[in-house]
């Protein structure tokens, strides 16, 4: 290993390998560091590559068009026509996302590492990063321990943080006005899933659909989150759920239960009448796993002095769906590209890196604050309200628009208003109107994302105040 790199990328997951590939393609000298040995590259935790593994086709297409790669079998394991969100009573379903794939994550990670290496990035496996090296308030490299616990320090002009949700780089940045160091527990979903083969008993597309990914909204089964049944090839499934801690605690208390994420997943599998005799898939030691997903808007700034972040380290998963693969792909590419440009201009200051904030917001990020408010609202609804709302409040077209972060006029819905019955339902509808207004306001704020760091603080204060107000109005209320 050389002792001078232009860019160190921490974490060879989706965001990190793509950032390394794009930065090396842009001409920078790149070192990609991960604690994993090469055979298990991209593994998030000892539990495996824990994920639902569903990604929209548009994100795969974007990477294929930007970097010299084409995806297919085996990493794209199974094609789906769409993702459906299903009401708790199973009577209503809304198309939530279009075409996509179920991935084989271990295979995808290997392919992305090979891409980074092909473009000239150097991979350093077996190195655990403990934090950023600092020159005063500027990031100047990384430090950590190798697989024999021997300390290392490596310097670079820039560091890209792709260490995932519990990033040691982000958490050990100096206190600063730009990148928050911690993610609130209320903005985290505890999630888990099985990859398993199964025997199918009967047919019912509300429980299992080989051509579509299904999301079950149900505050009893998955308080503050949802359950999913994502088809893989040949009667294999990725089945799991996510919960929000406060919602789980309230649900347990009100129903006098002591469920945990683990017991809830087992109950969810049993609840599904079509799925019988599951066999956990032991391939790659990746059959059962549990991990966290951040479900807030991405960090208000993704850059600091000589530092950029991409993927879960920056809380990029979609606040409604918890889908983080797509954003990690978009951000990994954009971060690597912007980093290489900054290196070639010999200016890695916060001001120079700001272009990445602007580009990420244009490409994906501008809708997520609105979606965060929608998520907070959904978590305040019990099953009856969700059933009622999915039937009466919005049309399928409006629901699709909202899930993409676009804000519908709700003209059709407002005509329903006079037909609504029940105080709770009417209040929930009024709240939806508040949410729609807030989503509009936040989308407008993001359309004027600060052009430079100088204008950042007043803008950020406005955003934070809007989100705080939503959290104050809509408290978790699962049952
Ligand atoms: C149960 C579950 C289900 C999900 N389902 C979906 C889904 O269906 N679709 C979807 O789009 N998203 C889903 N997500 C989210 C998605 O998995 C993540 O958004 C995505 O993996 C983020 O990629 P990343 O590259 O940012 O981080 P990660 O995949 O977490 O990669 C981080 C990398 O950093 C390495 N690393 C971490 N710490 C250190 C350290 N200190 N030193 C060195 N290396 C380190 C890790 O080894 C790993 O290789 C799900 C998440 C979970 C937990």
């Amino acid at each position: 290993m050389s002792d001078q790199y232009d860019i160190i990328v921490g974490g060879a997951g989706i965001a990190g390998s793509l950032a390394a590939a794009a930065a090396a393609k842009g001409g920078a000298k790149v070192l990609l560091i991960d604690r994993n040995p090469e055979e298990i590259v991209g593994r998030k935790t000892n539990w495996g590559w824990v994920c639902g593994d569903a990604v929209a086709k548009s994100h795969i297409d974007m990477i294929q068009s930007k970097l010299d790669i084409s995806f297919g079998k085996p990493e794209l394991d199974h094609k789906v026509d769409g993702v459906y969100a299903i009401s708790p009573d199973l009577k209503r379903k809304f198309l939530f996302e279009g075409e996509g794939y179920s991935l084989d994550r271990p295979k995808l990670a290997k392919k992305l590492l090979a891409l980074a290496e092909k473009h000239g990035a150097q991979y350093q496996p077996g190195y655990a990063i403990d934090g950023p090296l600092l020159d005063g308030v500027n990031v100047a490299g990384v430090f950590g321990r190798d697989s024999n616990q021997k300390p290392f320090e490596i310097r670079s002009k820039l560091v890209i943080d792709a260490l995932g949700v519990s990033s040691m780089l982000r958490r050990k940045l100096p206190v600063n006005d730009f990148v928050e160091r911690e993610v609130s527990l209320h903005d985290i979903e505890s999630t888990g899933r099985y990859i398993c083969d199964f025997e199918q008993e009967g047919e019912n597309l509300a429980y299992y659909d080989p051509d579509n990914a299904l999301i079950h909204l149900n505050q009893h089964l998955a308080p503050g989150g949802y359950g999913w049944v994502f088809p893989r090839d040949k009667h294999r499934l990725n089945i799991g759920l996510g919960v929000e801690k406060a919602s789980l605690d309230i649900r347990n208390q009100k129903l006098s239960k002591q469920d945990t994420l683990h017991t809830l997943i087992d109950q969810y599998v049993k609840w599904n009448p079509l799925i019988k005799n599951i066999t956990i898939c032991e391939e790659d030691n990746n059959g059962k796993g549990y991990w966290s997903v951040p479900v807030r808007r991405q960090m208000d700034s993704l850059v600091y002095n000589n530092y950029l972040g991409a993927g879960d380290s920056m809380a990029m998963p979609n606040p409604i769906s918890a889908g983080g693969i797509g954003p990690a792909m978009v951000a990994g590419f954009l971060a690597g590209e912007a980093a290489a440009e900054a290196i070639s201009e010999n200016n890695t200051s916060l001001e120079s890196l700001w272009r990445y904030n602007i580009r990420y917001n244009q490409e994906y990020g501008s809708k997520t604050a609105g979606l965060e408010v929608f998520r907070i609202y959904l978590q305040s609804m019990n099953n009856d309200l969700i059933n009622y709302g999915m039937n009466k409040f919005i049309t399928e077209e409006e629901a699709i628009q909202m899930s993409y972060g676009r804000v519908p006029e709700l003209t059709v819905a407002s005509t329903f208003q006079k037909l609504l019955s029940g105080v709770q339902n009417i209040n929930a509808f009024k709240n939806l109107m508040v949410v729609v207004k807030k989503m509009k306001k936040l989308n407008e704020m993001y359309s004027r994302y600060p052009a430079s760091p100088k204008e950042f603080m007043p803008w950020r204060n406005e955003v934070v105040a809007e989100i705080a107000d939503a959290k104050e109005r809509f408290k978790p209320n699962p049952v």
Side-chain angles (χ1 to χ4, degrees):
M1 216 193 310
S2 141
D3 57 1
Q4 237 329 325
Y5 291 90
D6 291 327
I7 300 170
I8 291 173
V9 180
I14 288 173
S17 288
L18 286 169
K25 186 174 181 227
K29 188 171 179 197
V30 178
L31 180 67
L32 173 61
I33 296 180
D34 199 290
R35 59 190 173 196
N36 291 326
E38 186 148 358
E39 318 79 78
I40 52 168
V41 64
R43 192 184 69 167
K44 290 182 186 181
T45 76
N46 288 338
W47 289 108
W49 289 253
V50 190
C51 187
D53 299 330
V55 65
K57 179 174 177 296
S58 57
H59 292 129
I60 293 288
D61 290 347
M62 180 208 167
I63 294 305
Q64 290 185 143
S65 72
K66 299 280 187 189
L67 291 164
D68 184 17
I69 190 166
S70 123
F71 295 106
K73 277 270 186 190
E75 64 279 359
L76 303 185
D77 181 61
H78 184 70
K79 184 151 188 315
V80 293
D81 298 333
V83 183
Y84 281 96
I86 302 181
S87 61
D89 61 9
L90 304 176
K91 288 187 179 149
R92 191 103 167 107
K93 64 177 178 181
F94 288 151
L95 185 68
F96 185 72
E97 265 213 67
E99 278 176 298
Y101 299 97
S102 282
L103 300 168
D104 183 324
R105 274 296 279 276
K107 305 261 177 5
L108 178 77
K110 284 195 172 121
K111 186 142 178 170
L112 296 182
L113 174 60
L115 176 73
E117 289 180 323
K118 185 177 89 176
H119 284 299
Q122 187 183 335
Y123 181 50
Q124 177 57 62
Y127 271 37
I129 294 172
D130 287 332
L133 286 176
L134 296 172
D135 279 345
V137 293
N138 298 322
V139 172
V142 302
F143 68 93
R145 291 151 293 117
D146 71 11
S147 47
N148 299 314
Q149 298 301 315
K150 195 169 150 233
F152 68 81
E153 287 189 358
I154 313 172
R155 299 183 77 80
S156 61
K157 296 175 190 158
L158 256 183
V159 170
I160 299 181
D161 178 357
L163 291 183
V165 57
S166 55
S167 169
M168 298 299 280
L169 286 168
R170 184 197 71 229
R171 288 162 65 198
K172 290 195 182 162
L173 285 177
V175 176
N176 72 90
D177 288 339
F178 293 93
V179 180
E180 280 165 78
R181 299 190 301 172
E182 295 297 337
V183 177
S184 156
L185 202 58
H186 296 296
D187 294 326
I188 296 266
E189 287 277 309
S190 301
T191 54
R193 63 95 182 92
Y194 301 160
I195 296 178
C196 56
D197 295 325
F198 74 109
E199 287 169 23
Q200 186 179 340
E201 197 167 290
E203 293 206 358
N204 183 337
L205 295 179
Y207 287 104
Y208 168 69
D209 183 343
D211 299 320
N212 287 291
L214 305 183
I215 283 178
H216 290 117
L217 298 172
N218 190 316
Q219 293 273 42
H220 285 234
L221 290 171
Y226 65 80
W228 69 84
V229 179
F230 291 170
R232 296 273 307 255
D233 203 12
K234 299 194 184 94
H235 263 75
R236 183 162 285 181
L237 281 181
N238 185 314
I239 183 167
L241 56 77
V243 299
E244 188 259 331
K245 189 181 175 310
S247 300
L248 174 61
D249 289 346
I250 295 168
R251 174 249 189 215
N252 276 348
Q253 202 189 14
K254 286 197 181 165
L255 301 180
S256 304
K257 302 217 173 200
Q258 291 185 328
D259 281 314
T260 62
L261 174 65
H262 296 221
T263 62
L264 285 172
I265 295 176
D266 286 331
Q267 288 169 30
Y268 178 57
V269 174
K270 282 204 187 103
W271 165 84
N272 194 312
L274 268 64
I275 294 168
K276 298 288 177 204
N277 301 327
I278 66 164
T279 316
I280 299 294
C281 172
E282 299 300 350
E283 207 177 306
D284 294 312
N285 203 11
N286 189 35
K288 265 189 187 188
Y290 310 91
W291 194 231
S292 302
V293 195
V295 284
R296 48 165 281 173
R297 68 199 183 282
Q298 69 279 347
M299 295 299 172
D300 299 324
S301 167
L302 311 168
V303 304
Y304 177 64
N305 306 326
N306 309 335
Y307 170 98
L308 306 89
D312 283 15
S313 65
M314 293 293 109
M316 286 183 170
N318 181 306
I320 301 282
S321 66
I325 298 172
M329 287 182 158
V330 172
F333 172 76
L334 293 176
E337 185 187 58
E341 288 169 11
I343 292 292
S344 71
E345 292 160 17
N346 206 15
N347 181 358
T348 56
S349 65
L350 178 66
E351 288 76 12
S352 165
L353 299 177
W354 202 259
R355 66 188 93 184
Y356 167 53
N357 272 336
I358 293 171
R359 290 176 194 168
Y360 183 74
N361 275 298
Q362 280 167 352
E363 196 66 41
Y364 189 91
S366 61
K367 64 185 176 191
T368 55
L371 290 176
E372 183 178 357
V373 169
F374 194 57
R375 183 213 92 211
I376 294 165
Y377 167 69
L378 265 183
Q379 287 173 331
S380 74
M381 312 250 285
N382 62 27
N383 280 353
D384 289 340
L385 284 174
I386 298 174
N387 285 329
Y388 194 83
M390 283 179 77
N391 273 294
K392 298 268 190 197
F393 291 178
I394 45 176
T395 62
E396 175 156 19
E397 182 48 39
E398 287 163 346
I400 292 170
Q401 284 191 44
M402 286 184 90
S403 71
Y404 281 103
R406 293 188 285 266
V407 186
E409 289 305 323
L410 289 185
T411 42
V412 183
S414 53
T415 64
F416 285 133
Q417 194 170 7
K418 48 186 172 300
L419 304 175
L420 297 179
S421 61
V423 178
Q424 264 209 338
N425 293 330
I426 291 168
N427 282 341
F429 185 79
K430 283 187 185 147
N431 286 342
L432 177 64
M433 290 303 181
V434 173
V435 166
V436 166
K437 223 166 137 188
K438 263 191 186 299
M439 287 177 81
K440 267 198 184 138
K441 197 165 170 190
L442 283 159
N443 286 0
E444 183 276 319
M445 284 179 193
Y446 273 79
S447 72
R448 50 180 173 83
Y449 187 84
S452 78
K454 276 190 236 86
E455 298 118 64
F456 179 67
M457 279 314 283
W459 176 88
R460 181 191 185 171
N461 290 342
E462 273 184 78
V463 172
V464 169
E466 274 307 316
I467 301 285
D469 181 64
K471 286 187 171 171
E472 197 45 47
R473 280 172 192 264
F474 309 123
K475 303 280 186 196
N477 189 20
V479 286

